[in-house]
Amino acid sequence: LTNLDFNLIARTSLGAAATSIILDGIPPRRFLRILIEHSAKSGNGNSLLRFNNDAAGNYTFIENGNNTARTSQTSVDLIDAANNSLGYFAIIDVVNIFNLVKAVHADVIARITGAGTAQTRHRITGTWVNTTAQITRVDLVASANNLPALTSISVYGSRD
């Protein structure tokens, strides 16, 4: 990221297990790279990504594995209804131009527990349909059960 003039602009982590983690006060930048990491959850559930506290049906996405388009969603499901308790690491790139919809690309890999376990991944492309604001807040919400303590969100932003 250094070669592309990206810098860490915001970071947070959970001190205790919770149903969500919120990173607010992100300085507006044209391009964002969001890193999300968590270990195994307390039970099955999905990992839902939202921007600027928007839980309305303003998200659309498609997952590369099943090619099922999701429209008018209340979030981007980073594991596309896999509904499991695994930990995950996500790299999410966003074009964050004020007056355009926000293009989102996410690569998410499961944190498997042994070499004999098949690796799972999710490649998500989508859009947050908002043309009146840049992203200044990121929420990760567990659809069921808790995200574990030390779940973290780090945001890197372009210079402009």
Side-chain angles (χ1 to χ4, degrees), residues 7-157:
N7 295 300
L8 180 65
I9 57 174
R11 177 186 308 183
T12 193
S13 63
L14 286 177
T19 57
S20 66
I21 181 172
I22 297 167
L23 179 55
D24 204 358
I26 300 168
R29 297 292 192 273
R30 184 177 183 92
F31 299 102
L32 300 176
R33 173 161 279 184
I34 303 165
L35 305 179
I36 298 175
E37 183 276 327
H38 67 80
S39 57
K41 294 180 281 198
S42 61
N44 287 348
N46 296 311
S47 300
L48 310 175
L49 178 69
R50 294 184 179 138
F51 300 120
N52 291 12
N53 199 29
D54 181 1
N58 293 320
Y59 303 86
T60 181
F61 66 93
I62 188 166
E63 198 268 340
N64 195 44
N66 64 25
N67 288 318
T68 301
R70 315 273 192 227
T71 59
S72 300
Q73 300 293 297
T74 59
S75 59
V76 173
D77 185 346
L78 291 177
I79 59 174
D80 195 33
N83 193 39
N84 62 43
S85 62
L86 295 173
Y88 282 91
F89 174 64
I91 302 170
I92 304 152
D93 291 318
V94 182
V95 179
N96 189 31
I97 299 171
F98 177 80
N99 62 341
L100 299 175
V101 298
K102 311 311 178 263
V104 178
H105 174 89
D107 282 308
V108 186
I109 59 168
R111 295 179 65 186
I112 58 173
T113 56
T117 303
Q119 182 66 58
T120 57
R121 67 155 177 84
H122 304 276
R123 177 165 281 169
I124 308 271
T125 52
T127 302
W128 178 41
V129 183
N130 181 301
T131 58
T132 61
Q134 284 186 291
I135 294 167
T136 58
R137 174 176 163 162
V138 174
D139 297 21
L140 182 67
V141 179
S143 67
N145 296 296
N146 282 338
L147 297 165
L150 303 180
T151 295
S152 67
I153 301 175
S154 300
V155 178
Y156 293 80

